[in-house]
Amino acid sequence: MKTTLLFDFTVDKSTSTVFVNREFAAEQALVWNAFTKQDILDQWWAPKPWLSRTKRMKFEVGGRRFYAMVGPEGQEHWSIQDFKAISPIKHFKFVDAFTDKDENINKELPSSEWNLDFSETEGVTIVNITIKHRTLADLEQSIHLGFKEGFTMTLNYLDGLLQSKQNLPAGLALPKRLREGDVGRLINMRKIIVLSMITLDGVMQAPGGPEEDKSGRFKYGGWTASYGDEVYGKVVQKELKPADYLLGRKTFEIWEGYWPEHADFWPGINDGTKYVLSRTRKKSDWNNSVFLKSIGDIKKIKNSNGSDIQVWGSSKLIQLLLKNDLVDELRLKIHPLTLGKGKRLFDNGVIPASFTLTESIVTPGGVIIVSYKRAGKVKTGTVGS
């Protein structure tokens, strides 16, 4: 493998264009992910001491990344990237512009069109970036604002991140804002997504039927039954698409006794991998069942390649995941009733954490269906100041 990696930054004022060619000692798919996945981008896209914070990103043609460069004193410089073309793993194009916090484009600041091409030779990936500005004045303003120095710095961060991921000899230090061991999680992150039906007071026990879970003398099993309607049903059907699952032992045993014979309602449930956290179970006749012993095993699965992982039921497991900051998304159906007792979604051990709303809908029956993604630390302040 090459020990000296290409980096070339060229400015062509005659065409108002910047050309950046950068090699990375990593496979092409890994580098592609680093440029196209929000959770990875925010780890290297901003030059120190600034941080990148993406508010919203949909990587598809016609989609947009809306993000801010956040300074050490909390100042925010907002931008958008509007995606115009995508050829997976090989090429994508976007238009970049500065905006305010409400996504209104600031026409007094430079805008540009980016074309990024990815190719790999003998384990080394080269990214060829062409940045075309509207005018020479825009190009000169961008250079004056320190684009060359800042972008060079961020590409060096990415180089260090990728080298750490592949266990290469230390050429560049891992950025301090990444915790040791986080690189694999960020590059190949499988999201852990909690799907839960809850009451207004947070009870999640036995939503489907009276016999589902009577533990603790719970007598309200099936409390969701009266809230079904067409809107609710469409959401549920969307959630039943093939996936991998992470379950607590009790939820797994409920599923194990029912779903193998009812897969016509849930296509793919038998084919999906069922990861089960259990101290007592080691095997099952239900195909594709894998038993885990510890939170460390869960972390290894999360850091591996594969599809996102859904958590259904499993109240104690959810508490463990929340305590260890392993939940990436919450997809909740909040029903308009209280039960006063029963297993709850949020209980002992939940850490302070903030989430961002990504989707919401209210059914005719009053069920609030919302999706949240993990957003960082809790921010405090004085209201009205």
Side-chain angles (χ1 to χ4, degrees), residues 130-146:
T130 303
I131 309 168
K132 173 70 174 178
H133 291 79
R134 295 175 301 179
T135 64
L136 176 58
D138 275 2
L139 169 61
E140 291 179 335
Q141 186 179 12
S142 177
I143 297 300
H144 177 73
L145 290 171

Side-chain angles (χ1 to χ4, degrees), residues 7 15 31 33 41-42 69 83 89 112 128 160 181-182 203 205 233-234 257 263 287 296 301-302 340 345 363:
F7 175 59
T15 60
V31 180
N33 285 345
L41 273 168
D42 280 346
M69 296 291 197
F83 301 109
I89 313 298
S112 55
N128 300 116
D182 272 357
V203 174
Q205 186 171 349
K234 286 182 178 179
N287 58 311
I301 297 300
K302 182 173 171 58
L345 177 64
T363 73

